[in-house]
Amino acid sequence: ITIDGNRDSYTRGLSTENELIDADNTKNLSIINCHFRNGIADAIDLDGENVNLLIYGNYINNIDKMGMHMYGIKNGSINNNVIISNNTISNSTGGVNVAGTTNFTITGNTIRNTRTYDAVNFTDDGTAILTGTDSKKGNITGNSIFGTNEYGISNRGKNIIVSSNNLDSCNNYSIYMPSTAINSIASNNNIQNTNAIGIFSDAESSKITLNYIETYKNIPIFSSGTNSYIFENIIVTDTTALVVERKAYIKNNAFKGGGIDISFSNSDSSSIINNSFYDISGQRFGITIASAVNQLNVNNNNFYEVDSSAILSFAPFNYFIGNNFINCDTAFNFNSTAMVGAIIDDNNFINCTN
C-alpha cells in the first residue's frame, strides 16, 4: 500500500499532527512493503509495549520527522523483540529512532540525505539511526548510510553491537557512543568522507575493532571512555588518527598518514602494542605523549617513513621496548623530563637520521 500525507495540500491529506501509522501496545505486528511519503510527523510511530515487531521492505520518503520512531517506555512498559530490516528512508529528518527497546535488530536498511527539522528542540535531528539510553541488547548491522545532516549512528544504549555498516558523508560523528553506551562494540564498519570525527566513544569498556576509516577532514577515532579496546582498525588520514583521553588498549592497528595523540593523565597505564604507522609526513608524529601520562607500554610497534619524529614524548616513567623504525627522520624525540625513568630497550633502527 501507499500512504501519502499530501503535505502540500492538507485538506486532501492527514492533519498536521498525524503520523502516517500510529499504533500503541501492539503484539506480532508486521509492516511490510509499504510506501510512505510526504508526512509532516513520523512515518511510523509505535509507543507503549510493543512485542514481536517486524518492519521490513518499506520505502519512506520526504518525512518531516523520523522515518520510524519507537518509544517503548510508557508506564513502565518496553518494546521487545524488534526487527527493522531492508527499509529505504530518504530525504527525511531522521531514519530510525529506537528508545526503550530490548532485543532488537536494525539491519540491511538504506538511509540517505537526512535533514534538520527543529535543531533547537531536537538535538538529534538529521541522525540516521538513534538508540535511546534505555535501549539495550541490540544489533545495528549491515546498514548503508549516506549524507546525514547530524550523526550517522548515535548509540546511547547498553550492550549494543554496531557492525558492518557503511557510512559516507556524515555531517557529525559517523558513529557516536556517549558515556551511557556501556559495553558497546563498533566493529567492521566502513567510514568515509565524514565531516566530523569518525568514531567518538566516551563509553566505558567499549570495543572499537576491525573498522576501516578514511577521512581527511577530522579525527578518525576519539576515545575518552576508560578501559576501551581499540584493535585491528585500518585508518587512512592526513591528520591525527587517534586521540586517547583515558586508559586504553591499542593493538594491531594500521595508521597511514597520522598517528596517536595521548594527552591526558587519565591515560596512564595504556598499552600501545603491535601497531604499524606508515607515511606520516609534515609535522605529524607517530605517537605523541603529553607530560602528564605515565606507565605507558609502547612495545613492538613498526614505524615506516615518518618524516618527523616517530615517538615524541614529554612524560617520564614510560616503557619503549621492541619497536622497529624504518626510514624515519627521528625515532625517539624526548625532552629531559621524558628521559626520567624511561625504559628503552631492544629497539631496531634502519635508515633513520636520528
Side-chain angles (χ1 to χ4, degrees), residues 89-111:
I89 303 172
S90 59
N91 304 314
S92 300
T93 295
V96 178
N97 185 345
V98 177
T101 302
T102 188
N103 298 319
F104 65 89
T105 298
I106 303 171
T107 184
N109 302 284
T110 298
I111 303 172

Side-chain angles (χ1 to χ4, degrees), residues 138-341:
N139 288 279
I140 302 172
T141 181
N143 301 283
S144 295
I145 296 170
F146 180 86
T148 67
N149 200 55
E150 187 58 27
Y151 304 115
I153 298 172
S154 178
N155 169 31
R156 301 170 185 270
K158 302 177 181 66
N159 299 304
I160 293 173
I161 298 173
V162 179
S163 68
S164 302
N165 301 285
N166 293 309
L167 301 104
D168 196 323
S169 302
C170 297
N171 196 47
N172 208 328
Y173 309 147
S174 294
I175 297 175
Y176 177 42
M177 299 190 295
S179 59
T180 55
I182 298 170
N183 294 324
S184 289
I185 297 172
S187 178
N188 285 290
N189 299 287
N190 186 323
I191 298 172
Q192 299 193 50
N193 303 316
T194 182
N195 287 326
I197 294 169
I199 299 176
F200 183 104
S201 176
D202 191 32
E204 180 180 351
S205 301
S206 65
K207 294 179 175 61
I208 301 172
T209 65
L210 295 165
N211 300 284
Y212 177 86
I213 306 175
E214 183 172 355
T215 179
Y216 303 97
K217 295 182 179 180
N218 214 306
I219 298 166
I221 298 177
F222 192 106
S223 174
S224 57
T226 189
N227 293 323
S228 60
Y229 295 81
I230 304 169
F231 290 177
E232 299 183 82
N233 301 282
I234 298 174
I235 299 175
V236 181
T237 187
D238 58 3
T239 183
T240 300
L242 168 63
V243 174
V244 176
E245 288 193 345
R246 287 180 173 82
K247 183 178 180 180
Y249 304 93
I250 305 164
K251 186 175 181 181
N252 294 335
N253 301 282
F255 301 97
K256 183 176 181 180
I260 301 173
D261 189 349
I262 300 182
S263 304
F264 297 88
S265 59
N266 290 327
S267 303
D268 285 356
S269 302
S270 293
S271 296
I272 305 173
I273 299 174
N274 289 332
N275 301 283
S276 295
F277 301 82
Y278 302 89
D279 301 331
I280 300 176
S281 60
Q283 294 302 307
R284 292 183 296 277
F285 310 102
I287 300 173
T288 303
I289 304 168
S291 59
V293 181
N294 304 131
Q295 306 299 321
L296 289 181
N297 291 289
V298 182
N299 302 332
N300 301 316
N301 300 284
N302 299 301
F303 300 85
Y304 304 93
E305 305 285 349
V306 180
D307 288 351
S308 188
S309 303
I311 300 176
L312 174 66
S313 179
F314 302 93
F317 304 109
N318 292 308
Y319 306 90
F320 307 89
I321 300 172
N323 300 286
N324 298 305
F325 303 87
I326 302 171
N327 297 331
C328 298
D329 180 51
T330 301
F332 294 105
N333 185 354
F334 290 4
N335 67 1
S336 58
T337 301
M339 294 302 298
V340 175

